[in-house]
Structure formats: structure tokens, C-alpha cells
Amino acid sequence: MAQRPGQAAPRPGTAAGGRAHMLPPRGGPRHSYAALDLGTNNCRLLIARPSDDGFVVVDAFSRIVRLGEGLGATGRLSDVAMDRAVSALSICADKLRRRHVALVRSVATEACRRATNGPEFVRRVYRETGIALEIITAEQEARLAVLGCHALLEPGEGKALIFDIGGGSTELVLIDVDSGKPVVHDWYSAPWGVVSLTESEPHIGSDRDGLMESYARMRARVADSFSGFAAKLRAAQVPPGRLLGTSGTVTTLASVHLDLPSYDRRAVDGLIVPAEAMRGISTKLSGMTVAERATLPCIGNERADLVVAGCAILDAIMDIWPADRLGVADRGIREGILRSLMARERISA
């Protein structure tokens, strides 16, 4: 959705082909760029300026809004969930104004894709905040995530699998970077994220055995969804190689692995963790109650009820791509948007 200062705004909610709004004049000093990602669970904003080797972050915002809460049962975004999201987006809009952002792309993902009132919500967001959300496809979401985090892949040859466990869906992308840039060979989007899986297959039980049985059902549901993509990998005789994950699930589990007293992006982003260590953490968490998980510093009350669903999805991914190590990325869609915006401006300047 392109919008020049002083021009009439585009109609929000329409397909935009990856375009952004608030286009800056060319040839001036380096401007601020922004990427906003409204997911099923989180609202995230990143504002940055170009640098010689990429970009420098000047402001950021992240809030759990649970936009997709109850979506699986009703097919609609609830009024309460939309209110939470609009409140967070209002803060983002204020940051965009105060930072004098020249170019911004704001995307919405699975919750808005699935909800029958997704376009209506997009129009409300524009009316109340001025933010023009673009509902992107699962493929666009997958490619942006790859663009944002592929630089953290371990050195090596052959194909790699990058995954993004979201709130409402999980994207799996098979790539290689032999040419220096990521080339997508195949991709798949499963309808299970931490919110949708938790609501469809709750993690419940009166004791550890009951909790573990419930966890096994979660894993089986995800594995069934992955089965077609797994069969394609087997048929193509693609040997499992490097594995890189970008999501709150992997960064949270990495924090638990490091036994951090509080979350530290510098310690987590780019970390390589043995796959068996991650499986061990998943097993431990899946045998705990919500209250027990909430006592862990990097999980807390906000993630305690959803993290086990993320563990089940991660285990299913490692079943179909049994790598020895797992790369962890605290970057993804927003960084992919920023890189694409800045590259576009360099080309057109």
C-alpha cells in the first residue's frame, strides 16, 4: 500500500503486493524505516536506519496481544482480542510518528488470514491508528522470515530447513544459500501455532503421566499435518542438514537452556543448541503444570500456557528433519521487511 505524504490514503485491507506507505524523497540523508508484524499472538514493531553493513535499530516494541484467541472455535476475531491489538497498534503508531519514519510496511498474518472479520478489523485499525495493515499470504510470510534470519545459518553446504513457529501457523522452508542468497526450494505452512494448537488440543492432565499423554496427542496432531511435506522430503532424498528456527518458542527454550535469569537477546540470537538438549527441555516442560512453568524466569505467566504447544511443534519438526544442532534466531519477518525495504530504496535511488 503506497502512500506519499499529502496524498489520499489507500483503501486498507486490499492486496498490496508487498508495497509500503509513507514513501520518502530520494537523495536525502538516511531515513528511518519500520516493519510491523501483527501475528496471532504478538504485535511487534522494529524501527531502523540503514548502515554500511545492514541496519541499526533505533526503536522497537513487542506485546503479546493474542489476537487469535478463540478464533478456532468461532472463525472470528473477538472484540476483546481486537481491542488488545488496537491498543498495541496505537502505541506503534505513536512511535512511528515520533521517530519520523519515512517508509513502513505493516503486515498481518494467520489470524487475519483465517478470520471472517479480518478485513473489517484491518479497516478499523486504519480508522483508529492510521496504520494500513496488509494481510499477507503464508508464502509471503515464509519468505520474509527466511530473508530476515538466513544469515544465522551455520556454515555448510546442501539444503537447510528454516522454520517459524507462530501463534496460528508454522512455516517450514527448504532453502540453500550456495549462491550467497537464500534460494527457496520448497515450503509448507501448517495450521498449527502455539495458540491454535493449545486451543484445539489442550495440554491437560491430573498428574505427570496424564500431561505426557496429552503432549503425545499434541505431537501426533502436528505430525499428521507435517506428513505430506515429510513425504516430499523423503521422495526427494533430501538429507537432513542445518536447521534454524525463528520464533518465541525457540528463543524461550534457548533461554531455559542457558538458565538465564531474564531474557537476553544478545545471548540467544545466533546461538547453536544441541537438538537433544532442546528435546530434553521440551520433555521437561511438557510434564509440568502451567503454574510450575510460570515460575521459570524466561517463561513466566505470559508464556506458561502456550509454550508446550511450541515444544510439540518443535519436536515434530526435529522428527522430520533430525539435525544434530538447532540454530536460534531472534529475528525474522520484521528484519526481512526492513531488508527488502532498504534494498528497494537503494535500487530506486
Side-chain angles (χ1 to χ4, degrees):
M1 301 179 195
Q3 180 184 349
R4 296 178 185 273
Q7 285 186 331
R11 187 174 80 253
T14 57
R19 288 173 288 171
H21 59 278
M22 293 191 290
L23 189 67
R26 299 174 186 169
R30 288 180 172 179
H31 299 280
S32 292
Y33 297 75
L36 191 154
D37 171 22
L38 179 63
T40 302
N41 195 45
N42 287 277
C43 175
R44 299 185 179 99
L45 172 71
L46 207 58
I47 301 175
R49 290 193 183 98
S51 65
D52 293 337
D53 58 351
F55 57 81
V56 176
V57 174
V58 297
D59 205 349
F61 173 80
S62 178
R63 177 180 290 180
I64 292 177
V65 296
R66 303 202 177 191
L67 179 61
E69 189 173 58
L71 175 62
T74 66
R76 294 177 58 84
L77 304 175
S78 72
D79 290 340
V80 173
M82 288 190 291
D83 288 346
R84 287 195 299 261
V86 169
S87 176
L89 290 167
S90 296
I91 295 173
C92 293
D94 184 59
K95 285 180 175 289
L96 292 172
R97 286 189 292 268
R98 287 190 292 106
R99 292 290 183 177
H100 304 291
V101 171
L103 190 63
V104 58
R105 185 180 181 192
S106 305
V107 303
T109 55
E110 183 69 8
C112 288
R113 283 197 294 264
R114 291 179 55 194
T116 57
N117 60 338
E120 176 187 334
F121 169 69
V122 167
R123 289 189 289 271
R124 175 188 169 185
V125 167
Y126 186 73
R127 285 195 310 270
E128 297 188 20
T129 71
I131 291 174
L133 284 173
E134 170 195 353
I135 302 176
I136 60 174
T137 66
E139 181 176 4
Q140 288 174 307
E141 183 178 357
R143 289 180 180 274
L144 284 171
V146 167
L147 182 60
C149 74
H150 75 90
L152 293 182
L153 274 171
E154 286 189 276
E157 297 180 350
K159 295 181 177 63
L161 187 70
I162 293 179
F163 65 89
D164 182 3
I165 302 173
S169 65
T170 293
E171 280 65 50
L172 307 175
V173 192
L174 185 67
I175 73 165
D176 74 49
V177 289
D178 294 342
S179 65
K181 295 183 178 180
V183 176
V184 175
H185 289 270
D186 204 350
W187 69 280
Y188 174 69
S189 180
W192 302 121
V194 296
V195 175
S196 56
L197 183 59
T198 298
E199 292 185 350
S200 299
E201 192 68 65
H203 181 245
I204 53 177
S206 58
D207 55 24
R208 189 178 187 280
D209 287 344
L211 290 170
M212 294 305 293
E213 290 175 6
S214 180
Y215 184 65
R217 290 193 294 270
M218 297 176 94
R219 286 187 58 177
R221 182 170 289 219
V222 179
D224 181 66
S225 179
F226 285 171
S227 61
F229 187 68
K232 290 174 69 176
L233 294 177
R234 289 194 299 271
Q237 298 183 330
V238 179
R242 294 163 292 168
L243 180 64
L244 177 65
T246 166
S247 71
T249 293
V250 293
T251 56
T252 297
L253 298 192
S255 299
V256 174
H257 172 71
L258 294 175
D259 196 23
L260 296 178
S262 60
Y263 186 73
D264 184 352
R265 183 183 188 275
R266 294 169 299 178
V268 170
D269 188 47
L271 184 70
I272 306 296
V273 183
E276 284 308 308
M278 294 296 252
R279 285 192 185 273
I281 294 168
S282 293
T283 300
K284 175 184 175 181
L285 294 179
S286 62
M288 299 169 70
T289 65
V290 173
E292 288 170 337
R293 292 193 296 270
T295 64
L296 299 177
C298 291
I299 294 179
N301 291 318
E302 281 194 327
R303 296 186 180 276
D305 60 334
L306 300 179
V307 68
V308 169
C311 292
I313 297 168
L314 176 60
D315 271 345
I317 292 170
M318 292 191 292
D319 286 344
I320 67 171
W321 193 265
D324 294 331
R325 294 177 301 279
L326 169 63
V328 179
D330 185 350
R331 59 180 79 180
I333 292 174
R334 294 174 303 164
E335 288 80 2
I337 290 172
L338 287 173
R339 293 186 183 282
S340 62
L341 290 179
M342 293 176 187
R344 181 185 310 167
E345 286 301 286
R346 284 194 296 270
I347 292 172
S348 62

